[in-house]
Amino acid sequence: MSRGLANCNPGNIRRSSSHYRGEVRPSRDPDFKQFESIEWGYRAIFVTLNTYRRKYGLRTIREMISRWAPPVENHTEAYIRAVTARTGFSADAVLDTRLRQQMVPLIAAMSEVENGVKADFRAVERGWELYVNAT
């Protein structure tokens, strides 16, 4: 099992001063956050990408992934290509972080890139429900 899935953190969100609902504190992982369930981990990704839109004006897969997985740590262009191939969305199409039909497939694709296995789509959808009902 990947580290992200073991931590119920399918986006591999690093430890930071930001706190999320459902987060296990303190994390027992020295580098990454841990969540109570995979659904709370998915919710954290939705929250983070919405923050990218609101705070930084990032609205495309290319913009969001470039911040999420910067080139100093990742092969960002390969990550973008993998996500666009899995979602069918253009890397430069404007997405709305408030639309389920765009965000659930995006987060499922990001989880697959992060963890090397297909995301449980039902868990991603439950994460979406936590996001829209608990923000």
Side-chain angles (χ1 to χ4, degrees):
M1 176 181 293
S2 72
R3 187 176 188 178
L5 296 180
N7 285 336
C8 294
N9 180 358
N12 287 311
I13 298 171
R14 291 198 174 274
R15 289 178 70 167
S16 70
S17 60
S18 298
H19 298 296
Y20 298 89
R21 289 186 182 183
E23 183 180 339
V24 173
R25 291 187 294 186
S27 176
R28 293 175 305 279
D29 187 298
D31 299 313
F32 295 94
K33 291 185 176 286
Q34 292 180 305
F35 293 93
E36 294 172 11
S37 70
I38 198 75
E39 292 84 2
W40 285 109
Y42 282 122
R43 179 192 178 274
I45 304 171
F46 289 118
V47 168
T48 302
L49 294 185
N50 190 53
T51 299
Y52 287 1
R53 179 190 60 82
R54 287 184 305 97
K55 192 171 182 179
Y56 306 108
L58 307 181
R59 299 183 186 286
T60 68
I61 290 174
R62 182 178 314 284
E63 292 168 340
M64 287 185 250
I65 298 299
S66 293
R67 182 170 179 95
W68 185 271
V72 295
E73 299 177 1
N74 302 275
H75 192 310
T76 306
E77 284 303 314
Y79 196 132
I80 292 166
R81 282 192 305 274
V83 168
T84 58
R86 286 165 177 80
T87 62
F89 301 143
S90 164
D92 298 307
V94 174
L95 301 181
D96 188 334
T97 58
R98 298 161 295 186
L99 293 179
R100 176 189 201 121
Q101 66 267 29
Q102 293 179 347
M103 297 312 292
V104 169
L106 174 61
I107 273 56
M110 289 174 65
S111 176
E112 185 174 347
V113 172
E114 291 284 341
N115 299 289
V117 295
K118 284 193 180 283
D120 177 345
F121 213 74
R122 292 167 305 189
V124 181
E125 289 178 328
R126 287 191 300 270
W128 174 264
E129 291 303 321
L130 288 170
Y131 166 64
V132 296
N133 294 318
T135 51

